[in-house]
Amino acid sequence: MKILKPHLKNYKKEIIGAVIAILISAFSTLWQPRVLEDIQKALLVNNQSRVLRDGIWLVILGIIAIVAGIFNVYYAAKIAQGVTSDLREETYSKIQSFSLANIEKFSTGSLTTRLINDMNQIMNMMMTLFMQLLRIPIILVGSFVLAIITIPRYWWAPVLMLALILSVGTWVMKNMTSLFNKFQETMDQISTRVKENLQGVRVVKSFNQENNEIKKFNKTSDYLNDLNIKIGYWFSAIMPAFMLIAYLVIALVILLVGTSIRSHPSDVTVVSPYVSYILTLLFAILIGGMVLMTFSRGNVSLKRIAEVLETEADVKFDENAPEEELSESIEFDHVSFTYPDGNDETLHDISFKIEPHQMIGVVGATGSGKSTLAQLIARLYDPTDGEIKIGGKNLKLINEKTLRDTVSLVLQKAILFSGTIASNLRQGKKDATDYELERASEIAQAQEFIKRYPDEFDHEVEERSANFSGGQKQRLSIARGVVSQPPILILDDSTSALDAKSEKLVQEALEHDLKNTTTMIIAEKIMSVKNADKILVLDEGKLVAMGSHDELLKTSKVYREIYDSQKAKEKRGELNE
């Protein structure tokens, strides 16, 4: 509950209003049977004026309870919605601060479930808290005490009922808590499976895997359904069980009252209020049981949200560091890196220095660590050993905004967001002018298809950018990367979906229009980096060679093998020039 306290402080007036409404509603409810008892006593002595007076009071108490209940629901809803919204925003902000390792630890499906399903459970819990949790103890204690006062000699009856119901309720809650945990975990699995399947729908259809995916989904869905049914069984059983206990106690008391009515004739007027208090006590226990179940479920969700909020980001920036402009040099000083869940080093003892305004190529076989190298420069991960410097400064001593303004990373997998072309490009620079958007799209060779749209940069980007081809998405990603004219631009195999002509035009535009930018091009094809000032050759996570294309052909066996292999594929038509 501690993660809710900071947010609850923002709703002090609403909390006070909800509590006052609860107190008024609870005391009005408790006093009604007492007024009913007075009416019955007045009827026995034929006191019509007292019957009328008490009848009016009974109606007034009912109206007060209804009005107080309306205000209570209003304030409770305002608190629940507000606190949950604030907590959701806090959680989302926390997720945005996570490194890639943190995201992978939770999985995107799990984080999505926590932001939606778990937040709904917390909202339900908050509603219950301010509608019932404070009201139930008052009703429970009040009806219990008043029942004993009404017929003192049967004080043991409500005690017996409470003892039996609490015993059954405790046993049920113990079983349901584990089911709630399993339910939320299975929701994570469902969310992850659906997300992966929809994102990879082309792969599924290409390999005719629809039936297999349906079977996998159905298996998880059936398990979730079984859990829901089990939870439903417990819910459906607990209320009849509680009511059975209460009615047995009421029947026992009425039987005892009936056998002793001659010695206690006044019991005739108190049987009805007594039964009302017992039923009110039962109602309070039933609602209390539902409250406990809601809290049990909400507590599971709170723990899952707390797990996110209490997770420290693997990559921490020095926010006290000043914002500054850095020169365009890049230096790796004996850098090694192992992924959090990995055992083997992805990069081992990498050292090199790139001077400002150079164009650098990075090549190597699949799995040699090229993309990891790029992600370390953008500080999506921190190196396991060694230092990375930009402009001569260690990345760990640089303010986050300074780093993001200095380094622009364009990934191979082009990801665009729902909105417009302009809104996607402005993610690279939020205040980019129309001229800057046009210039960036020209560099990325995206103007030729943007100009075909009547609305040009206002053209809609559909969900998962389904209305663009792979090459178009890559060109828009490149435009987004260059729109801010970053000091350092990293293209992580981000021209792989372009034809040879478009790729060549992009590289020529980069050389001509971004002369003051240090550009790092990571590519599978050597032809993509052939004209670079310097080429880094990676092999199994090690930097095995560095130099120009002509130098490497003479001095690097690994580079020569990659080059010869690709030339052979070109001749066979397997690799586009």
Side-chain angles (χ1 to χ4, degrees):
M1 293 294 288
K2 66 179 181 179
I3 65 173
L4 296 176
K5 288 181 181 178
H7 303 295
L8 287 170
K9 292 178 181 178
N10 299 325
Y11 299 90
K12 291 180 180 178
K13 292 180 180 178
E14 288 81 1
I15 291 172
I16 293 170
V19 171
I20 291 173
I22 284 173
L23 293 174
I24 293 172
S25 175
F27 283 114
S28 298
T29 301
L30 285 172
W31 201 248
Q32 287 178 43
R34 182 62 61 187
V35 176
L36 182 61
E37 180 184 344
D38 292 339
I39 291 173
Q40 289 177 336
K41 288 179 179 178
L43 286 170
L44 286 177
V45 297
N46 198 26
N47 188 339
Q48 293 185 3
S49 62
R50 186 177 174 186
V51 170
L52 180 61
R53 184 193 65 192
D54 289 342
I56 293 171
W57 269 111
L58 192 63
V59 172
I60 292 172
L61 285 172
I63 293 172
I64 290 173
I66 291 171
V67 173
I70 292 171
F71 275 101
N72 175 241
V73 172
Y74 169 77
Y75 287 124
K78 198 168 183 180
I79 296 165
Q81 292 282 356
V83 170
T84 306
S85 177
D86 294 345
L87 184 62
R88 185 185 288 112
E89 291 171 6
E90 181 189 4
T91 305
Y92 185 77
S93 297
K94 182 69 176 184
I95 292 171
Q96 290 296 313
S97 73
F98 282 171
S99 68
L100 292 183
N102 293 127
I103 299 291
E104 290 164 1
K105 172 190 171 185
F106 287 101
S107 86
T108 53
S110 175
L111 290 172
T112 302
T113 301
R114 292 174 202 238
L115 281 171
I116 299 173
N117 185 271
D118 284 304
M119 286 297 176
N120 287 337
Q121 299 301 332
I122 292 171
M123 184 174 66
N124 291 337
M125 184 184 72
M126 295 298 295
M127 280 289 291
T128 304
L129 170 65
F130 289 100
M131 283 179 61
Q132 300 294 352
L133 189 63
L134 299 177
R135 184 172 182 266
I136 292 304
I138 299 171
I139 298 291
L140 192 69
V141 174
S143 57
F144 179 78
V145 171
L146 289 170
I148 292 174
I149 292 173
T150 304
I151 309 180
R153 67 182 184 279
Y154 296 134
W155 62 267
W156 50 266
V159 174
L160 175 63
M161 186 180 81
L162 273 178
L164 290 173
I165 287 177
L166 288 175
S167 298
V168 173
T170 302
W171 178 65
V172 170
M173 284 303 301
K174 188 181 294 184
N175 285 279
M176 292 193 72
T177 300
S178 62
L179 289 175
F180 290 148
N181 277 312
K182 291 177 182 178
F183 181 87
Q184 294 304 124
E185 290 170 1
T186 310
M187 281 294 295
D188 283 351
Q189 295 173 18
I190 286 275
S191 179
T192 300
R193 189 170 295 283
V194 170
K195 177 178 175 295
E196 290 177 347
N197 197 273
L198 292 177
Q199 287 182 338
V201 65
R202 290 185 177 86
V203 176
V204 173
K205 290 186 176 296
S206 298
F207 290 94
N208 195 28
Q209 291 297 304
E210 291 94 336
N211 290 334
N212 287 336
E213 291 299 322
I214 289 170
K215 287 177 182 177
K216 291 177 183 177
F217 180 84
N218 287 349
K219 184 178 179 181
T220 309
S221 181
D222 289 343
Y223 180 67
L224 184 68
N225 185 52
D226 290 340
L227 286 174
N228 253 332
I229 290 173
K230 287 179 182 178
I231 292 170
Y233 283 156
W234 284 111
F235 270 115
S236 62
I238 193 168
M239 188 173 291
F242 286 178
M243 292 183 72
L244 178 62
I245 293 170
Y247 282 121
L248 286 174
V249 170
I250 290 171
L252 178 61
V253 172
I254 291 174
L255 177 63
L256 293 173
V257 168
T259 57
S260 62
I261 194 67
R262 290 185 179 179
S263 56
H264 299 88
S266 61
D267 285 354
V268 173
T269 61
V270 297
V271 168
S272 180
Y274 182 83
V275 170
S276 294
Y277 284 127
I278 291 294
L279 290 176
T280 302
L281 180 61
L282 170 64
F283 172 77
I285 293 171
L286 287 174
I287 298 300
M290 300 298 290
V291 167
L292 287 175
M293 289 178 190
T294 303
F295 262 71
S296 178
R297 199 165 195 167
N299 193 46
V300 170
S301 294
L302 267 179
K303 287 179 181 177
R304 285 161 55 83
I305 297 299
E307 187 181 0
V308 175
L309 294 176
E310 292 170 3
T311 297
E312 292 293 331
D314 290 340
V315 176
K316 294 182 180 179
F317 286 88
D318 184 1
E319 297 304 327
N320 294 322
E323 292 183 19
E324 55 188 321
E325 291 186 6
L326 301 175
S327 68
E328 299 84 359
S329 66
I330 304 172
E331 182 179 355
F332 273 53
D333 186 8
H334 298 286
V335 171
S336 297
F337 176 75
T338 304
Y339 282 100
D341 296 329
N343 296 319
D344 300 324
E345 286 185 330
T346 304
L347 295 177
H348 175 71
D349 197 24
I350 303 287
S351 294
F352 64 83
K353 186 171 182 179
I354 298 171
E355 298 298 333
H357 312 155
Q358 286 187 322
M359 177 176 283
I360 304 300
V362 181
V363 297
T366 301
S368 59
K370 303 188 297 296
S371 293
T372 303
L373 189 79
Q375 291 170 0
L376 290 178
I377 297 173
R379 211 182 169 204
L380 300 181
Y381 294 98
D382 273 337
T384 309
D385 294 300
E387 289 184 352
I388 301 174
K389 298 177 182 178
I390 289 180
K393 294 201 68 173
N394 190 323
L395 287 188
K396 294 182 179 180
L397 303 178
I398 296 174
N399 178 282
E400 183 176 12
K401 187 177 186 303
T402 298
L403 179 61
R404 300 303 174 221
D405 289 343
T406 304
V407 179
S408 180
L409 173 61
V410 182
L411 301 171
Q412 177 185 6
K413 185 178 180 181
I415 298 176
L416 302 178
F417 296 87
S418 300
T420 64
I421 292 175
S423 67
N424 272 275
L425 298 191
R426 286 194 172 104
Q427 288 176 330
K429 185 182 180 184
K430 64 181 180 181
D431 57 349
T433 63
D434 291 343
Y435 169 75
E436 288 174 318
L437 296 184
E438 290 178 6
R439 180 177 178 275
S441 60
E442 284 175 359
I443 293 173
Q445 305 304 305
Q447 275 287 69
E448 58 96 4
F449 68 85
I450 293 176
K451 288 292 185 183
R452 293 203 298 265
Y453 302 128
D455 47 0
E456 297 189 358
F457 288 96
D458 291 325
H459 189 70
E460 181 185 4
V461 178
E462 296 177 0
E463 183 181 357
R464 294 183 293 112
S465 53
N467 55 332
F468 292 97
S469 68
Q472 288 174 332
K473 286 190 281 189
Q474 280 198 337
R475 281 180 276 183
L476 288 175
S477 293
I478 294 170
R480 179 172 56 193
V482 304
V483 70
S484 63
Q485 301 184 51
I488 296 174
L489 175 65
I490 303 173
L491 303 177
D492 184 5
D493 209 10
S494 50
T495 58
S496 58
L498 303 185
D499 58 81
K501 180 181 177 182
S502 296
E503 184 179 16
K504 184 177 180 181
L505 289 173
V506 169
Q507 290 187 2
E508 289 176 351
L510 291 174
E511 289 182 42
H512 181 267
D513 295 306
L514 298 179
K515 293 180 180 179
N516 295 326
T517 296
T518 299
T519 306
M520 177 179 282
I521 301 175
I522 297 170
E524 292 286 342
K525 297 179 292 185
I526 285 180
M527 293 302 295
S528 300
V529 298
K530 183 178 178 181
N531 297 322
D533 298 312
K534 190 182 294 183
I535 300 172
L536 309 180
V537 184
L538 296 180
D539 185 43
E540 296 183 352
K542 298 177 181 178
L543 180 60
V544 294
M546 182 168 57
S548 66
H549 173 69
D550 293 334
E551 291 171 349
L552 291 172
L553 285 177
K554 297 175 183 178
T555 60
S556 174
K557 180 181 178 182
V558 173
Y559 187 82
R560 182 74 196 186
E561 286 176 351
I562 296 172
Y563 180 75
D564 289 342
S565 173
Q566 291 182 1
K567 291 296 287 184
K569 287 182 179 180
E570 286 178 16
K571 290 179 181 179
R572 296 196 301 269
E574 298 175 17
L575 190 69
N576 293 326
E577 293 187 0

